[in-house]
Amino acid sequence: MKPRHMVMTGLLIVAAYLAFWGDKAAPTANAATFKQSARKPADAAPVRKPVTENTQIAALLPRASLMHEEEDEANLFPAKSKPKAAAAVAPPAPAVVSPPPAQVAPPLPFQFIGKQFDGQSWEVYLESADQTLVVHIGDTLLGAYWVDEIKPTLLTLTFLPLEAKQTLAIGQGEE
């Protein structure tokens, strides 16, 4: 054990001894006299300050005089100042409503991996969301893209909801 632990253990033993077998003697006279002086006699009247001539008491005002009757009761936070004359305020400019912008097809969700020519047609390999797709002309991809044309350098797709044509570069024209 470390010296610190021995000192703490000794102090714990002394505290336990005093708690169980400590001073059990009657209270001294000083404590008894303190308790008696702390009590007030029941017949003693409270001390009042004398009223001087400078003391003024404000009269209570009726609630109706404090409330503004012309303001709406539902408006809990009315404006502090009144608005300026209507002639000084210019009427708002009419809003110009422009037609909504034309819808644009989203960017293609495909990435080109490779292509192969089998002697008659091209076969293109695409990746979309960790999925490899083998693409031929006339295929529907992800339910939203139609394969229109495959040339050695471009893949042409149609985004079906908007009928918008999009192209994807698929490398050089070698066969």
Side-chain angles (χ1 to χ4, degrees), residues 99-107 159-166:
Q103 292 184 345
V104 178
F159 182 63
L160 296 175
L162 299 177
E163 295 293 327
K165 297 226 183 235
Q166 294 177 293

Side-chain angles (χ1 to χ4, degrees), residues 112 114-115 122 124 126 150-155 168-173:
F112 173 70
K115 64 182 176 180
W122 284 98
V124 178
L126 301 175
I150 300 175
K151 291 185 179 176
T153 58
L154 289 177
L155 171 67
L168 179 67
I170 56 172
Q172 301 294 330

Side-chain angles (χ1 to χ4, degrees), residues 2-90:
K2 293 183 180 179
R4 178 177 63 170
H5 292 138
M6 289 192 295
V7 170
M8 301 269 284
T9 304
L11 290 174
L12 178 66
I13 292 171
V14 169
Y17 173 78
L18 290 175
F20 291 114
W21 297 285
D23 188 18
K24 302 284 185 191
T28 62
N30 290 339
T33 56
F34 175 73
K35 287 182 184 177
Q36 289 176 357
S37 65
R39 292 184 192 158
K40 291 184 178 179
D43 58 344
V47 178
R48 295 185 182 179
K49 293 182 181 179
V51 178
T52 62
E53 293 178 19
N54 294 336
T55 305
Q56 295 179 358
I57 298 175
L60 293 175
L61 298 174
R63 182 181 174 118
S65 68
L66 297 175
M67 303 298 290
H68 301 288
E69 294 179 17
E70 67 272 357
E71 293 185 16
D72 185 15
E73 289 181 12
N75 187 2
L76 297 178
F77 303 101
K80 297 283 183 185
S81 63
K82 294 187 178 185
K84 295 182 181 179
V89 177

